[in-house]
Amino acid sequence: MKMEKQNSKNENRNHKRIASKAMHIIGMVFMWLALTTLFALIFGFIVMWLWNWLIPAIFGLGTITFWQAFGILFLAKLLFGGGFSMRHHPYRRKYEPFNEHKKAFFNGESDFRHSPRN
């Protein structure tokens, strides 16, 4: 009887731990969505403000709305930013596997100061 109560307590703890992890992941996803939306709104308003301040005075063009500014940002990201994939992310190289030459260098297994030059 005592063993069954202990197993029940352990199962209850495991369920609580799993539920806690799931809630943490869901919270992080919502936080990421909220921050992404916030940054998109901020950058859209910045582009709109700068365009409406500079472009009509310099080039004589008309003013734009927020959605037009957001569209300009989207178009610029597609044309100049390489799309929306993580392929061109600046920190991606950190996670790519090292080749043997780099591994030997960083592990201190080779001394390039005394190696013969080609």
Side-chain angles (χ1 to χ4, degrees):
M1 202 63 172
K2 192 174 187 180
M3 186 71 133
E4 289 177 14
K5 284 185 179 181
Q6 189 169 359
N7 286 341
S8 175
K9 285 182 182 179
N10 287 340
E11 286 179 20
N12 194 18
R13 284 184 196 144
N14 287 339
H15 289 299
K16 285 181 180 178
R17 190 174 345 160
I18 290 170
S20 174
K21 286 182 181 181
M23 290 304 291
H24 178 74
I25 291 171
I26 291 170
M28 293 299 288
V29 167
F30 280 122
M31 182 66 74
W32 179 82
L33 287 172
L35 287 175
T36 302
T37 304
L38 179 68
F39 284 126
L41 288 171
I42 289 171
F43 284 124
F45 279 113
I46 289 172
V47 168
M48 182 183 74
W49 177 72
L50 285 172
W51 180 285
N52 291 338
W53 179 47
L54 295 172
I55 299 301
I58 296 171
F59 298 109
L61 298 174
T63 59
I64 61 173
T65 65
F66 168 77
W67 291 110
Q68 289 171 328
F70 191 77
I72 290 171
L73 278 173
F74 187 79
L75 183 63
K77 176 66 176 164
L78 285 175
L79 292 176
F80 304 114
F84 289 97
S85 70
M86 290 293 287
R87 241 183 358 201
H88 303 292
H89 197 274
Y91 301 109
R92 184 171 169 99
R93 279 184 271 144
K94 181 169 89 172
Y95 301 109
E96 290 177 356
F98 279 39
N99 60 25
E100 295 302 318
H101 177 75
K102 289 179 183 176
K103 283 182 185 176
F105 176 77
F106 287 113
N107 290 334
E109 296 171 1
S110 64
D111 188 5
F112 293 105
R113 290 176 294 164
H114 301 295
S115 62
R117 296 180 187 244
N118 293 334

